[in-house]
């Protein structure tokens, strides 16, 4: 697998992850075909596990721009491929753990994992700043 191919996979996985949480929110919330008329109203009414899955979905979307920008900038600025891949894989693993913590309602651990996941793209950006 080439370096750019690995980066494309990282971005693809990161972009698909929120949809996994969306599907879980629908599953746990008892989503029906008619709920597709107004899915935001459906999600607004969810509670418990379904509401937490929806929150994990929303937060996953919120963190995507920073991750994608950092990875693409790091590639463009010729940051070592191993660092980009390590930070990208760490980000994805931490985001999965973050979602699990959200679903399990482990708020303190979830917050720690959120900080660690956000540190990955920030580290890439700091690496770029140090390079220039």
């Amino acid at each position: 697998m080439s370096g750019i191919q690995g980066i494309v996979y990282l971005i693809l996985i990161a972009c698909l992850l929120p949809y996994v949480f969306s599907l879980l929110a629908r599953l746990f919330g008892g989503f029906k075909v008619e709920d597709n008329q107004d899915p935001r109203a459906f999600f607004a009414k969810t509670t418990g596990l379904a509401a937490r899955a929806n929150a994990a979905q929303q937060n996953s979307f919120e963190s995507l721009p920073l991750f994608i920008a950092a990875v693409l900038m790091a590639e463009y600025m010729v940051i070592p491929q191993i660092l980009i891949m390590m930070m990208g894989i760490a980000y994805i693993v931490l985001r999965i753990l973050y979602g699990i913590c959200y679903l399990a309602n482990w708020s303190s651990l979830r917050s720690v994992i959120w900080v660690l996941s956000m540190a990955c793209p920030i580290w890439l950006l700091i690496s770029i700043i140090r390079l220039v």
Side-chain angles (χ1 to χ4, degrees):
M1 172 168 40
S2 71
I4 194 68
Q5 190 177 27
I7 287 172
V8 171
Y9 278 121
L10 288 175
I11 291 171
L12 177 62
I13 292 166
C15 288
L16 292 176
L17 194 54
Y19 296 104
V20 171
F21 295 121
S22 175
L23 289 171
L24 291 173
R26 292 167 194 257
L27 178 69
F28 297 139
F31 190 85
K32 299 177 190 72
V33 174
E34 56 268 15
D35 291 322
N36 206 38
Q37 299 268 336
D38 190 359
R40 291 176 192 245
F42 166 80
F43 286 126
K45 294 178 199 170
T46 60
T47 60
L49 188 57
R52 291 193 303 276
N54 185 48
Q57 169 204 193
Q58 291 171 335
N59 189 270
S60 295
F61 276 123
E62 291 164 1
S63 74
L64 267 178
L66 177 63
F67 174 73
I68 293 170
V71 167
L72 291 177
M73 288 177 67
E75 180 68 19
Y76 176 75
M77 295 301 293
V78 195
I79 297 297
Q81 200 69 43
I82 188 74
L83 179 62
I84 298 171
M85 292 304 293
M86 282 177 26
M87 290 297 107
I89 291 168
Y91 171 84
I92 290 170
V93 169
L94 288 163
R95 294 305 301 180
I96 291 168
L97 292 173
Y98 172 84
I100 291 168
C101 288
Y102 226 132
L103 295 174
N105 205 20
W106 299 333
S107 58
S108 296
L109 181 57
R110 181 186 79 222
S111 295
V112 170
I113 292 175
W114 179 86
V115 168
L116 293 173
S117 74
M118 297 310 290
C120 295
I122 291 169
W123 184 260
L124 285 174
L125 293 174
I126 290 170
S127 297
I128 294 166
I129 291 167
R130 293 171 66 174
L131 183 69
V132 293

